[in-house]
Amino acid sequence: MEGYNKAQNERCQCRPSSCRGRVLSHQLLQLDTTTTTTTATATQAHLTMLSQLDDVLTHLGSGRWTVLHFLTLAYNCIFVGPQALGGAFLAPRLDYTCQSTTIPSSASFELATDGLASYTQANHTTLQYDPKCQYWVNTPEGGTIEECVEFVFDNSTFSSTFTSEYNLACDRAYLQTSFQSVYMFGVFVSAPINGYLSDKYGRKRALMAGTLLFLIIALGSAWLPFLSTVLLARFLLGVFHAMSNITSYVLLVEVMNPKIRPVVGYAVNIFWASSMMIYSAFGYWIRDWRLLQTVNTLPGFLILPGLWLIDESPRWLIVNGRPREALQVLTKAASWHGVDLPPEGEMKTLMQEQNDTGKSERQPISLWRLIGTFKDEIVILFRTPRLRIITICVFLDYMISGMVYFGLSLSGASISDNPFVFMALSGLMEIPAYTLTIPVVQCFGRRRTLATCFLLSAIVLFALAVIPAEYSVTVVALAMIGKMSITAGFQTTIFFSSELFPTEVRSRGIGGAYMMSRIGSMVSPFITDLVGSVYPWAPFVVFGAGALLSGGVTFLLPETKGQTLPDTVAQLEEKSCRQED
């Protein structure tokens, strides 16, 4: 009972009804313990509510119940990660040439080169054509250039890929890139929908439905016969990615002991990094894309018994007027941990107070109203001068972070001769990025750390653009430094943004920023595959310029280390005016 009445250092800063997957709400729990908030009157009752429930969770401590929830929900990353990075081994960019057996005997055919071929006609007219995609056919009229319809792909690394099976070359090359981009587009589209479903129907119900549909579609996509259906399945996988992966994170945060929430956040990130290393091992042993997709998916079904055993978030149950069920969940947790709950009278009073607070804040939810509200909430972020600057800078940082992170993660085939080793090293380099970010931020501050991460990434990326490919060890080493720095920068961006936005717009600010990161991740495959196939140095220049730009605009943001966090936009603007004076 002693720990029940103690104030906790970490408090959930967002409303339970707003802790949506699109908001990355777990990062809001990692605020610096030296940073405090001046609680506004309008939010005082609700923050008190969260504080009381956090005290109960702290009193329950950690044990078998929390371990069950952690292992079940963190395992989600193991099978979601390979799908999110599926393009690296399932639909890689391959070298190819026009298949000679499909070309008429009267045609002039050359093996693929990096330049254009030329053909001189009888009238001494010279025409140029791309021997990778075209060939010349002599005709009575003098000849014509025809387009290749079938291709021979380089299968020295992969025996079968989405790219080679559907002849995705030349004017169809964008479809190979779309394999990765449509997945991220699905994540982007599902952001507000996932929040709506999770808030309306509950974390566990949305998680179970999303995970089951994710696994079924992932398994079915391995055996779909048509290109269009495979791409549709990839889009749906992105949609259910949010329902499965992000909702699981929200639920994990809401049931966890407040004292270990930051540690849990890092541990789940390590599961994500581990999934990249596992994916590289599967990819090395299985070179057929359909079989690899099947093997990547099957371990995911092991999570289903765990999803059946875990409980609904007591926080969500209370806020949605179901205190009796919340008390049952907390009683079960207390039994599993071998502790007693506070006296029954105190618990009932707590439940009633929180239920009353939730009733006063609950409003009828509809999907159309949610979409309209989301649009209005984004507009609010641009209405005042200081908040506008913060929003633009944070949105840009998120977009560049997503673009560079996925750009480097999916560039194994162009950077290294062994894409499997590259993927494994990429996952390995993420572990120190996740574990060292917060200590460094606490020591050196948010702005300086974030700017350093972006600028280091820019230097490395510009170096990769000019170093010859023959220096393979140097190229891979620099790529790993860049991957670690952009991963650390991404984590710092999330951490920093949770302190920059005032409490009353924090969830909508980070939610909008998260969607911007999806735009960056959608664009990156087109930069690496389409632009990179013509100018191999160009993706590194684009990514480096983006990182340099983000590093520069970061200096426009205020340092938040040791500062009082504003609860309202008015407080933010007032504080900015005082600093200027």
Side-chain angles (χ1 to χ4, degrees):
M1 296 295 295
E2 181 180 353
Y4 172 66
N5 294 316
K6 289 184 177 180
Q8 302 306 317
N9 288 332
E10 288 89 8
R11 302 290 191 203
C12 182
Q13 300 294 320
C14 60
R15 292 172 49 185
S17 59
S18 300
C19 289
R20 298 171 180 152
R22 66 181 175 88
V23 180
L24 293 178
S25 61
H26 63 281
Q27 296 294 345
L28 303 185
L29 306 170
Q30 300 173 351
L31 303 178
D32 187 350
T33 56
T34 63
T35 307
T36 60
T37 61
T38 308
T39 307
T41 303
T43 60
Q44 181 63 54
H46 194 78
L47 293 178
T48 301
M49 176 182 89
L50 299 181
S51 173
Q52 291 171 340
L53 184 57
D54 277 355
D55 288 343
V56 174
L57 293 174
T58 301
H59 171 68
L60 293 177
S62 303
R64 289 187 299 157
W65 188 77
T66 52
V67 169
L68 170 66
H69 284 73
F70 171 75
L71 292 178
T72 299
L73 299 174
Y75 181 75
N76 187 284
C77 292
I78 297 296
F79 62 86
V80 170
Q83 304 297 335
L85 297 169
F89 300 154
L90 304 179
R93 176 162 57 94
L94 302 174
D95 292 330
Y96 59 87
T97 187
C98 193
Q99 186 168 319
S100 59
T101 56
T102 64
I103 300 177
S105 57
S106 60
S108 173
F109 171 73
E110 295 185 24
L111 292 178
T113 64
D114 292 331
L116 295 177
S118 60
Y119 187 86
T120 303
Q121 302 182 86
N123 60 2
H124 303 291
T125 301
T126 300
L127 299 177
Q128 290 185 325
Y129 62 95
D130 183 358
K132 295 181 68 174
C133 303
Q134 299 170 319
Y135 56 90
W136 175 269
V137 178
N138 289 314
T139 64
E141 292 77 17
T144 183
I145 296 175
E146 300 289 342
E147 300 291 332
C148 292
V149 294
E150 293 188 25
F151 302 87
V152 176
F153 289 87
D154 179 5
N155 291 324
S156 60
T157 302
F158 304 95
S159 62
S160 173
T161 65
F162 175 80
T163 308
S164 59
E165 182 171 326
Y166 293 104
N167 274 300
L168 304 184
C170 297
D171 60 345
R172 288 165 56 88
Y174 74 95
L175 293 172
Q176 173 259 323
T177 304
S178 299
F179 183 89
Q180 182 68 31
S181 292
V182 294
Y183 185 100
M184 294 304 171
F185 181 62
V187 179
F188 174 83
V189 169
S190 68
I193 300 174
N194 171 66
Y196 165 76
L197 295 174
S198 178
D199 287 346
K200 184 175 178 63
Y201 299 106
R203 315 300 193 220
K204 180 178 177 179
R205 190 177 298 179
L207 173 60
M208 293 185 70
T211 300
L212 185 59
L213 289 171
F214 183 91
L215 292 171
I216 291 173
I217 293 173
L219 187 61
S221 68
W223 306 104
L224 293 174
F226 304 113
L227 182 148
S228 58
T229 55
V230 174
L231 292 180
L232 176 61
R234 288 290 295 176
F235 169 77
L236 294 176
L237 280 175
V239 170
F240 293 115
H241 170 112
M243 286 185 64
S244 177
N245 184 252
I246 302 178
T247 303
S248 69
Y249 216 128
V250 173
L251 176 57
L252 181 62
V253 167
E254 293 184 347
V255 302
M256 210 41 63
N257 179 351
K259 288 185 175 180
I260 63 171
R261 279 175 183 161
V263 177
V264 167
Y266 299 133
V268 173
N269 287 331
I270 292 174
F271 270 70
W272 175 273
S274 300
S275 75
M276 297 175 64
M277 292 183 276
I278 295 172
Y279 183 36
S280 67
F282 284 164
Y284 177 79
W285 292 108
I286 304 171
R287 306 298 178 95
D288 181 278
W289 79 276
R290 293 187 180 273
L291 184 57
L292 177 59
Q293 173 69 356
T294 302
V295 172
N296 282 335
T297 305
L298 289 177
F301 287 93
L302 297 176
I303 199 177
L304 297 181
L307 293 179
W308 181 264
L309 292 174
I310 64 174
D311 296 295
E312 179 58 87
S313 165
R315 191 182 302 271
W316 181 86
L317 290 170
I318 293 171
V319 171
N320 285 272
R322 296 160 65 176
R324 185 184 300 274
E325 295 175 55
L327 185 58
Q328 291 175 350
V329 171
L330 294 172
T331 301
K332 175 182 175 181
S335 175
W336 281 40
H337 290 180
V339 299
D340 296 324
L341 283 176
E344 183 177 353
E346 293 185 23
M347 289 300 299
K348 288 184 177 180
T349 301
L350 171 64
M351 297 294 175
Q352 187 60 46
E353 289 176 354
Q354 298 189 21
N355 186 34
D356 292 343
T357 305
K359 283 181 179 179
S360 66
E361 297 177 348
R362 288 197 302 271
Q363 297 179 0
I365 299 176
S366 68
L367 182 57
W368 295 115
R369 182 183 174 208
L370 176 72
I371 294 174
T373 301
F374 181 75
K375 180 185 69 174
D376 294 338
E377 288 179 346
I378 292 297
V379 172
I380 290 174
L381 298 173
F382 295 90
R383 284 185 177 171
T384 60
R386 192 56 183 165
L387 183 59
R388 187 184 306 123
I389 293 175
I390 290 175
T391 300
I392 294 174
C393 293
V394 169
F395 278 20
L396 178 64
D397 284 351
Y398 266 80
M399 185 174 69
I400 297 299
S401 295
M403 181 181 71
V404 178
Y405 174 85
F406 281 96
L408 283 175
S409 298
L410 299 171
S411 295
S414 58
I415 293 178
S416 171
D417 294 332
N418 192 324
F420 312 107
V421 172
F422 184 88
M423 179 67 74
L425 290 175
S426 294
L428 184 63
M429 295 305 292
E430 289 194 15
I431 294 178
Y434 291 134
T435 55
L436 299 178
T437 298
I438 296 301
V440 172
V441 164
Q442 300 286 38
C443 180
F444 296 102
R446 289 82 165 116
R447 183 174 61 185
R448 188 185 305 174
T449 301
L450 180 56
T452 300
C453 289
F454 277 130
L455 294 177
L456 178 59
S457 299
I459 292 171
V460 169
L461 289 165
F462 286 138
L464 287 172
V466 298
I467 294 179
E470 290 77 14
Y471 297 93
S472 57
V473 175
T474 303
V475 169
V476 172
L478 287 174
M480 291 302 103
I481 296 174
K483 182 64 185 298
M484 183 174 66
S485 60
I486 196 60
T487 302
F490 209 161
Q491 290 299 300
T492 306
T493 301
I494 297 169
F495 181 82
F496 194 14
S497 62
S498 69
E499 299 180 335
L500 286 168
F501 288 109
T503 302
E504 68 173 340
V505 297
R506 184 171 294 141
S507 63
R508 65 195 83 174
I510 301 178
Y514 177 69
M515 295 180 73
M516 293 300 295
S517 75
R518 296 306 94 186
I519 294 177
S521 62
M522 280 189 282
V523 172
S524 63
F526 289 95
I527 298 174
T528 56
D529 292 342
L530 297 186
V531 178
S533 63
V534 181
Y535 305 104
W537 50 266
F540 301 118
V541 173
V542 173
F543 294 152
L548 183 63
L549 177 62
S550 287
V553 302
T554 297
F555 288 106
L556 299 176
L557 297 171
E559 178 58 67
T560 58
K561 179 186 177 184
Q563 300 296 315
T564 300
L565 300 187
D567 283 306
T568 65
V569 176
Q571 291 177 0
L572 174 68
E573 298 298 331
E574 181 183 358
K575 181 179 180 181
S576 176
C577 291
R578 288 200 308 266
Q579 290 176 344
E580 291 177 359
D581 294 340

